[in-house]
Amino acid sequence: MSFYNEYLKYKDFDFDSFFKNTTDEDILNTINKDKLDKFDFLRLLSPTAEKHLEQMAAKSNKLSLQHFGKSIILYTPMYLANHCSNKCAYCSFNVENDIDRKQLTLEEVEIEAKNISKTGLKHILILTGESKSKTPISYIKDCVKVLKKYFDSICIEIYPLEEDEYKELISAGVDSLTIYQEVYNEDIYDKVHIAGPKKNYRFRLDAPERGCKSKMRSIGIGCLLGLYDFRIEAFMTGLHGYYLQSKYLDVSISFSLPRIRPHVGSFMDLHDVNDKNLVQIMLALKLFMPYAGINISTRESESFRENLIPLGVTKLSAGVCTEVGGHSQSNKSSSQFEISDTRSVSEVAISLERKGYQPIFKDWVHI
Amino acid sequence: MDKLKIGGTKLDSRLFIGTGKYSSNDILPKVIDSSKSQVITMALRRVNLDSPKENILNYINKNCILLPNTSGARNAEEAVRIARLAKAAGCGNWIKIEAISDNKYLLPDNYETIKAIDILAKEDFVVLPYMNPDLMDAKRMVDAGASAIMPLGSPIGTNRGIRTEEMIQILIDEIDIPIVVDAGIGKPSQAAQAMEMGADAVLVNTAIASSSDPVMMGDAFRNAVIAGRKAYLAKLGSVKKFASASSPLTGFLQGDE
């Protein structure tokens, strides 16, 4: 069994007819339900539901307070390298793009870690481009050993691995995995992943499940909003999370909602996802899986992120640089994408406090 | 009010409170004061010794008993390691065992919990296990060395009240160590209900933390727990299925005597 079987069930589903037949009454009934099924979730992603965002937001706020309280976990990404073996139409790290490539030495990792830890953060997300030859598991393990001295929780966002490889990283100190499918539609996936190992749709799709099997504590998934119809992509993302949570009860599932940002490259065949659309996705996910986390990155603007907080956000990045060595090196690389919210960790923390939320720097303990 | 005795310690308050989900740690001392709680639970994973502002221990009155919990542990082995870390971090020897391997409902795993109690009680911890209310498992927990039993009223954070009433009542009737109803209590009236049933204490977090005025809500829970305990001690009047008519239907029989 794999989520792929679930994907196939809905691959040729007539979404247009379903949305056309969704009434206002359906939406209101769905909002009032205690437990939503998959079609309730899809209804909340319909154009009809756009008229009921306020009611959805009120419920989302209530559910979020119940499950997570008024606290938001802060973390920051740290780019270890930007070498990549893939040709992805939408990414600056595309192997054919002429950008500054860089990979941190272990000494540089330590300096970077020291600088980040001065901000008080205890959670870190480490990223690489997707090059298994340039940044092999052994290198990532060595980096994790250095980072363990400074951080309580280490999450990886790297190329998809085999189950045993995830286990290897867990024993080194990694506890969480973030991996985006980018686009669930298999045809678009094939189109935008022009060449390289990332072209293997199934291997990527099953990576979160391999992470669950290897006993990762938390798994973050998502699609890159803008590559295909957001309603269908959000539906598949939610189904994927639901599939993982139902099968692996001990894993904490969270969703990220990255919208495509300006980058080096020329991919232009984008599907617009406006602020209202993103809010609708977030609310639908929260009502469908209230116990799942929602992570909003600095791809979004400061003011938009601020407004999203009471709607169910559980995790925010802060003090973000998407360049390799961005937290300490004067000789930085090119960035993966342009960030929008450039605030420091303390600025984000202060703004959360002003909104009546507690910024959480540490939510994990090494055992 | 009569005192509650757990692990050799006598407590005036029968309301335990949690420290999670608040908008700020600054409010904690005020909630502790208004609730008059003496036992405060906190997740060890949230204890940040490196940051004075974030270190939750700095907000808990020194007269209170810390009840670190093993939140995040999925099995006995992890719970034991977290308990030992808590002790090493200076949190004392009380420990609330949470062994939860279900992220959806956050239901405790009684089997793993019993294993953890067995190890930690031998290491002189005062062990308070969060558990699914089951009589046989509760007995095993007592045998393993638990100092109190903490059955759930309904799943954590739901504020749905005491949905497991029948099971908890059995534990109250059959188990000789203190019963602390934990999780699910969403209103002061539900805390009073637990106390009227004969529970020895209640633990409340979400209901206080997610209210608009946690300080006032802490006070409301304090009063509810006192009221419920007094009602229990005073012994509630019996509940009758049929009315006792002031003009008995069989009164006419008296004339035949």
Side-chain angles (χ1 to χ4, degrees):
Chain A
M1 226 3 219
S2 144
F3 177 66
Y4 189 61
N5 303 80
E6 191 76 2
Y7 166 76
L8 289 179
K9 280 189 210 166
Y10 299 96
K11 191 182 178 197
D12 298 317
F13 184 79
D14 188 352
F15 287 96
D16 283 342
S17 298
F18 183 89
F19 289 148
K20 271 180 200 152
N21 290 326
T22 300
T23 64
D24 290 317
E25 201 182 344
D26 289 336
I27 303 297
L28 294 172
N29 285 339
T30 300
I31 294 170
N32 282 314
K33 276 190 174 179
D34 277 341
K35 198 175 172 191
L36 274 56
D37 64 24
K38 292 168 191 172
F39 290 108
D40 291 323
F41 172 49
L42 186 56
R43 278 183 197 100
L44 296 182
L45 290 167
S46 69
T48 313
E50 284 182 18
K51 281 179 273 172
H52 305 281
L53 289 188
E54 186 55 33
Q55 292 101 312
M56 287 168 67
K59 185 170 181 188
S60 181
N61 172 264
K62 198 176 159 201
L63 289 171
S64 198
L65 287 179
Q66 181 189 321
H67 286 271
F68 297 93
K70 286 201 152 190
S71 59
I72 307 273
I73 296 166
L74 297 182
Y75 73 99
T76 207
M78 174 177 171
Y79 281 75
L80 299 176
N82 61 359
H83 295 290
C84 195
S85 321
N86 297 296
K87 273 177 73 178
C88 304
Y90 53 84
C91 182
S92 302
F93 288 178
N94 183 323
V95 66
E96 289 193 338
N97 285 343
D98 182 20
I99 61 167
D100 297 326
R101 305 278 175 178
K102 189 172 166 61
Q103 178 167 345
L104 296 181
T105 64
L106 293 183
E107 289 73 28
E108 288 171 330
V109 169
E110 181 123 27
I111 294 166
E112 191 88 340
K114 273 184 189 165
N115 269 346
I116 294 171
S117 70
K118 279 181 198 160
T119 65
L121 291 176
K122 294 285 184 184
H123 288 234
I124 195 156
L125 168 69
I126 52 174
L127 302 95
T128 61
E130 299 204 8
S131 171
K132 202 168 184 174
S133 56
K134 292 271 175 46
T135 49
I137 302 288
S138 55
Y139 167 74
I140 295 167
K141 263 171 75 176
D142 289 342
C143 292
V144 169
K145 279 176 197 159
V146 173
L147 294 168
K148 260 178 82 171
K149 292 188 275 180
Y150 301 92
F151 302 102
D152 288 286
S153 172
I154 301 171
C155 182
I156 49 167
E157 188 177 335
I158 60 170
Y159 46 88
L161 301 180
E162 300 286 359
E163 193 180 325
D164 284 348
E165 293 171 320
Y166 282 131
K167 280 184 185 159
E168 222 178 303
L169 288 178
I170 290 169
S171 53
V174 167
D175 53 80
S176 310
L177 165 68
T178 293
I179 185 155
Y180 302 142
Q181 183 57 25
E182 317 291 15
V183 57
Y184 282 89
N185 182 294
E186 205 171 355
D187 300 329
I188 304 287
Y189 186 94
D190 191 57
K191 189 175 151 198
V192 297
H193 298 105
I194 303 157
K198 198 168 174 179
K199 227 178 155 46
N200 188 338
Y201 176 87
R202 282 291 302 273
F203 190 67
R204 191 169 193 90
L205 190 75
D206 291 336
E209 182 157 12
R210 291 195 296 277
C212 291
K213 286 180 180 165
S214 68
K215 293 284 176 196
M216 280 285 176
R217 290 192 170 273
S218 61
I219 307 269
I221 60 169
C223 56
L224 186 51
L225 295 165
L227 292 180
Y228 186 53
D229 183 332
F230 81 87
R231 298 184 202 277
I232 301 172
E233 285 295 299
F235 180 60
M236 293 300 178
T237 307
L239 287 193
H240 199 174
Y242 188 81
Y243 166 87
L244 294 170
Q245 188 70 90
S246 303
K247 209 166 165 186
Y248 304 94
L249 284 169
D250 56 343
V251 179
S252 163
I253 301 292
S254 63
F255 296 107
S256 290
L257 313 171
R259 279 193 287 190
I260 201 158
R261 291 280 304 152
H263 57 91
V264 177
S266 58
F267 182 69
M268 298 303 287
D269 186 15
L270 297 177
H271 295 248
D272 187 40
V273 181
N274 63 33
D275 288 358
K276 194 174 176 185
N277 302 150
L278 190 139
V279 167
Q280 184 177 4
I281 297 168
M282 181 175 156
L283 298 175
L285 283 168
K286 183 53 88 174
L287 267 56
F288 181 48
M289 287 179 61
Y291 41 84
I294 301 264
N295 184 1
I296 299 290
S297 79
T298 51
R299 286 168 184 264
E300 302 302 336
S301 71
E302 174 184 336
S303 63
F304 188 52
R305 292 212 307 166
E306 293 270 302
N307 286 319
L308 291 179
I309 286 164
L311 304 187
V313 174
T314 58
K315 211 169 176 183
L316 284 176
S317 51
V320 172
C321 305
T322 62
E323 298 97 354
V324 180
H327 295 277
S328 59
Q329 312 274 305
S330 52
N331 172 23
K332 296 176 192 172
S333 68
S334 299
S335 69
Q336 189 179 21
F337 56 85
E338 287 177 23
I339 63 169
S340 184
D341 182 350
T342 56
R343 288 175 298 167
S344 68
V345 174
S346 61
E347 284 170 328
V348 172
I350 289 166
S351 81
L352 282 175
E353 285 165 356
R354 279 201 196 114
K355 284 189 84 73
Y357 280 75
Q358 183 178 181
I360 303 288
F361 287 70
K362 177 178 176 294
D363 190 42
W364 197 242
V365 63
H366 276 308
I367 56 168
Chain B
M1 202 166 60
D2 62 325
K3 290 186 190 298
L4 168 64
K5 197 173 168 189
I6 295 180
T9 302
K10 285 183 181 170
L11 300 163
D12 292 315
S13 166
R14 291 171 180 268
L15 172 61
F16 300 1
I17 62 167
T19 50
K21 301 188 177 179
Y22 285 97
S23 57
S24 157
N25 284 339
D26 294 331
I27 200 168
L28 283 175
K30 294 173 201 160
V31 175
I32 293 169
D33 185 50
S34 70
S35 66
K36 297 287 182 283
S37 178
Q38 292 171 298
V39 178
I40 318 294
T41 187
M42 85 276 174
L44 184 76
R45 63 186 185 156
R46 283 268 169 99
V47 174
N48 190 352
L49 297 168
D50 295 342
S51 162
K53 198 179 171 197
E54 255 218 294
N55 186 359
I56 212 158
L57 300 175
N58 292 338
Y59 297 83
I60 300 174
N61 188 316
K62 301 288 176 268
N63 299 326
C64 292
I65 293 172
L66 291 175
L67 180 58
N69 64 55
T70 64
S71 165
R74 293 181 293 194
N75 52 42
E77 187 193 353
E78 290 174 358
V80 166
R81 283 158 72 186
I82 294 172
R84 288 172 182 159
L85 275 174
K87 201 185 215 178
C91 297
N93 69 333
W94 284 46
I95 191 82
K96 176 183 165 190
I97 305 289
E98 287 187 22
I100 295 174
S101 53
D102 141 48
N103 193 59
K104 200 167 172 182
Y105 304 101
L106 300 175
L107 293 172
D109 182 333
N110 285 352
Y111 176 66
E112 293 295 327
T113 303
I114 294 163
K115 287 198 284 185
I117 299 166
D118 195 40
I119 296 166
L120 293 170
K122 289 189 180 96
E123 295 179 15
D124 289 333
F125 277 90
V126 173
V127 187
L128 284 73
Y130 172 53
M131 58 105 59
N132 241 318
D134 175 271
L135 178 60
M136 292 309 140
D137 283 342
K139 282 180 178 290
R140 290 182 187 105
M141 288 177 188
V142 174
D143 292 344
S147 295
I149 300 286
M150 305 181 81
L152 61 89
S154 48
I156 295 179
T158 59
N159 289 349
R160 293 171 84 91
I162 306 173
R163 300 293 178 103
T164 55
E165 183 180 352
E166 299 286 339
M167 300 300 119
I168 288 180
Q169 189 64 63
I170 291 171
L171 299 189
I172 290 169
D173 294 344
E174 302 298 329
I175 298 293
D176 290 333
I177 61 174
I179 304 294
V180 183
V181 178
D182 183 6
I185 292 179
K187 300 174 186 170
S189 56
Q190 293 160 352
Q193 179 197 353
M195 300 309 294
E196 287 167 1
M197 285 166 61
D200 297 278
V202 294
L203 192 150
V204 182
N205 183 33
T206 306
I208 297 176
S210 65
S211 72
S212 297
D213 187 340
V215 178
M216 192 188 287
M217 190 58 88
D219 184 45
F221 269 100
R222 177 179 71 87
N223 283 306
V225 168
I226 291 169
R229 181 64 183 173
K230 282 185 174 172
Y232 173 74
L233 292 175
K235 303 207 186 309
L236 298 167
S238 60
V239 179
K240 296 170 182 169
K241 276 191 176 174
F242 304 103
S244 301
S246 49
S247 303
L249 294 171
T250 54
F252 65 94
L253 297 174
Q254 288 169 9
D256 291 343
E257 283 178 354

